[in-house]
Each structure stands twice: as structure tokens, then as C-alpha cells.
């Protein structure tokens, strides 16, 4: 529960219209990065890739928000 609340708060800070969808996408990305880091010897690469994808996800959410 705290994960969703945390990501909802982060999403709200971006100014996008659909904060719930953005939070859901970032949660999937977060847990995917954790899983990848767990089974791979490249935890740093997983983290850096997740950070890059998160930036792209937020940018896409902003671009699709009504102005």
C-alpha cells in the first residue's frame, strides 16, 4: 500500500493529468527493475535503465496530458 501511495505522490508532483496511470506504470517499472537486479549480476545497469525509462514515461505522460 505504501508503494502505491508513494508513487501516487510522486506522480502528482509531475503535473500530469492522469496521475493514477503514471503511478501504475512507474510501479511496474520499479518492481521490474528490482526483479532484474535480483536475477542479474548487473544491478547498476538495471537501475540506470529503469531511471531512463522512468524519465521517458513521465515525458510521455506529460505530452499526452491536456494543456
Amino acid at each position: 500500500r505504501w508503494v502505491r501511495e508513494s508513487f501516487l505522490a510522486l506522480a502528482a508532483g509531475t503535473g500530469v493529468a492522469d496521475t493514477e496511470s503514471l503511478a501504475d506504470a512507474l510501479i511496474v517499472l520499479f518492481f521490474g527493475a528490482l526483479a532484474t537486479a535480483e536475477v542479474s549480476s548487473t544491478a547498476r545497469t538495471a537501475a540506470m535503465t529503469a531511471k531512463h525509462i522512468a524519465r521517458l514515461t513521465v515525458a510521455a505522460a506529460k505530452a499526452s496530458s491536456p494543456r
Side-chain angles (χ1 to χ4, degrees), residues 3 7 21-36 50 53:
V3 171
F7 277 96
S21 290
L22 177 57
D24 290 342
L26 294 175
I27 290 168
V28 169
L29 178 60
F30 173 74
F31 283 114
L34 287 178
T36 300
I53 294 170

Side-chain angles (χ1 to χ4, degrees), residues 3-45:
V3 171
R4 179 147 174 78
E5 290 172 0
S6 297
F7 277 96
L8 281 170
L10 290 170
T14 66
V16 302
D18 189 357
T19 56
E20 289 195 13
S21 290
L22 177 57
D24 290 342
L26 294 175
I27 290 168
V28 169
L29 178 60
F30 173 74
F31 283 114
L34 287 178
T36 300
E38 185 69 27
V39 299
S40 173
S41 61
T42 57
R44 185 175 178 356
T45 301

